[in-house]
Amino acid sequence: MAQQAYMTETDNGGSGPERRGDRFRRLVNRLLSGWRDDPRIWRRGIVTGAVALLLAGVLLLHSRIPNAVGNLGSLTETFLPWLALLIPVLFLIGVVRKSATALIAVLLPFIVWLNMFGGLLTDKAGTGGDFTVATHNVNAENPDPAGTATSLAASGADVVALEELKASAVPTYEKALAPTYKYHAVEGTVGLWSKYRLTGVKAVDIKLGWVRAMRATVATPDGPLAVYVAHLPSVRVKMNAGFTARQRDKSADALGEAIADESLPRVILLGDLNGTMNDRSLNAVTSQLRSTQGAAGSGFGFSWPASFPMARIDQIMVRGVEPESSWTLPRTGSDHLPIAARVNLTTSGS
């Protein structure tokens, strides 16, 4: 009896994997049963395939989408990476519809998206660098300016730029940052705090009628560095007007002119540009400078809104210095995430 029980148990155990394999094969056969010898797999899903081709066209030709109507082009470019969410939806529709046409068509936007943004999915951060910068739109309604300042000082940045400074909150930021940063300057609603001496401090006219941009020379151990701090006007998405950004675009052009006239070879721009690197309306700025996130970051580095970041509208951009790493900092009391980057001042990558 014992021998019989042992043999029965052994037989059951041995047949288990085989039965699981049989179940898997039956499942695969069931999934494929509707595809085999079905000429309609090429006729079904034409609409899904067309949508996939349209999506690929938007990704490839986003710069040709006109801004004449509601700045539709800039709106699309602001959230361009998120178009990837449509790809798995189209793929699933193709599977459910059992459409070979749709599935092949979906490959095109997938390949285009990977070509455009796949590089951002890898970690390009290096371990070098000799100078760290940080920037933060602190939000005029920030309920904890002292805590925000303390968090930024803990980042280890050599210079910190702040945007959307409320006049009544400036003394709080000055007091909290003073132990770490010996030098600082505030122009309008933007400010710069530095461990090194600041000279040549001046407001930058970005055609607003009030000051939201500044420029200073930082006397780093490796020589002078021009640092710009800017907060471009906000944009709005309105049902009756679309993506309203005319003033932002005008200010971006003015900021681009100021940077183009900069005499120092090494330049860093810190600030809230209210636009992404893909937005063609910021070309006056982005065509002159490199994004530290694009060159040496990990991921997209989305900074806004802080509760669920969907776009990187806060930027660190450089010229004449080499980005080594770029990252977002922990959330503060602001609706933006602070961002930081480490660069090499002694070698140029431009």
Side-chain angles (χ1 to χ4, degrees):
M1 289 294 290
Q3 182 179 6
Q4 182 178 0
Y6 174 78
M7 291 177 63
T8 301
E9 184 178 348
T10 304
D11 290 344
N12 288 342
S15 61
E18 183 179 353
R19 287 201 299 273
R20 286 194 294 270
D22 288 343
R23 285 198 296 269
F24 178 74
R25 283 193 291 271
R26 285 197 299 271
L27 177 61
V28 173
N29 288 335
R30 190 178 301 119
L31 290 173
L32 296 178
S33 62
W35 297 70
R36 293 182 180 135
D37 303 320
D38 182 1
R40 292 181 300 169
I41 63 172
W42 299 105
R43 295 198 293 268
R44 284 193 297 260
I46 298 297
V47 173
T48 304
V51 173
L53 294 178
L54 177 62
L55 176 59
V58 171
L59 287 166
L60 274 172
L61 304 174
H62 61 87
S63 62
R64 296 183 179 273
I65 299 175
N67 264 339
V69 180
N71 277 304
L72 181 60
S74 288
L75 177 61
T76 302
E77 289 166 335
T78 297
F79 299 103
L80 199 61
W82 291 94
L83 292 181
L85 296 179
L86 296 175
I87 296 174
V89 173
L90 294 173
F91 176 79
L92 288 176
I93 293 174
V95 171
V96 171
R97 293 279 293 149
K98 296 179 180 178
S99 168
T101 299
L103 293 180
I104 292 174
V106 168
L107 285 175
L108 186 57
F110 177 68
I111 293 171
V112 172
W113 190 93
L114 278 182
N115 183 61
M116 294 177 64
F117 300 110
L120 294 175
L121 302 179
T122 60
D123 188 353
K124 300 180 291 297
T127 58
D130 51 22
F131 196 78
T132 302
V133 297
T135 181
H136 190 23
N137 179 327
V138 295
N139 188 355
E141 304 305 320
N142 191 323
D144 184 21
T148 296
T150 301
S151 177
L152 291 171
S155 69
D158 295 290
V159 297
V160 172
L162 302 183
E163 303 87 48
E164 206 168 300
L165 283 170
K166 191 175 183 179
S168 60
V170 169
T172 302
Y173 287 107
E174 290 175 330
K175 180 179 179 180
L177 292 171
T180 305
Y181 301 98
K182 184 177 179 180
Y183 307 93
H184 83 279
V186 175
E187 294 285 342
T189 61
V190 297
L192 183 66
W193 275 257
S194 172
K195 294 180 180 179
Y196 306 106
R197 185 168 56 91
L198 300 177
T199 60
V201 176
K202 64 178 181 179
V204 174
D205 182 11
I206 55 173
K207 311 302 181 184
L208 278 175
W210 68 96
V211 178
R212 283 176 46 149
M214 63 176 289
R215 180 245 183 239
T217 298
V218 180
T220 78
D222 297 299
L225 170 71
V227 176
Y228 286 77
V229 183
H231 183 194
L232 297 188
S234 299
V235 297
R236 298 286 185 269
V237 180
K238 301 179 180 178
M239 293 301 293
N240 61 338
F243 190 66
T244 58
R246 182 174 301 174
Q247 186 58 63
R248 190 277 312 266
D249 299 347
K250 181 180 178 182
S251 293
D253 290 341
L255 178 61
E257 290 177 8
I259 293 172
D261 291 338
E262 175 58 51
S263 59
L264 290 179
R266 298 186 299 185
V267 179
I268 295 182
L269 169 63
L270 306 168
D272 173 7
L273 302 190
N274 270 306
T276 68
M277 294 296 294
N278 295 313
D279 191 337
R280 94 285 298 268
S281 296
L282 300 183
N283 279 350
V285 176
T286 57
S287 62
Q288 301 185 64
L289 306 168
R290 300 173 68 193
S291 163
T292 58
Q293 186 67 25
S298 175
F300 291 94
F302 294 147
S303 63
W304 178 88
S307 57
F308 188 82
M310 296 183 65
R312 186 179 177 87
I313 62 175
D314 302 275
Q315 307 291 349
I316 298 175
M317 305 178 66
V318 302
R319 183 175 73 200
V321 304
E322 183 66 20
E324 294 290 344
S325 56
S326 186
W327 63 95
T328 56
L329 293 168
R331 186 178 178 183
T332 69
S334 173
D335 57 340
H336 291 242
L337 291 179
I339 61 174
R342 190 158 179 83
V343 301
N344 195 332
L345 296 179
T346 58
T347 59
S348 172
S350 58

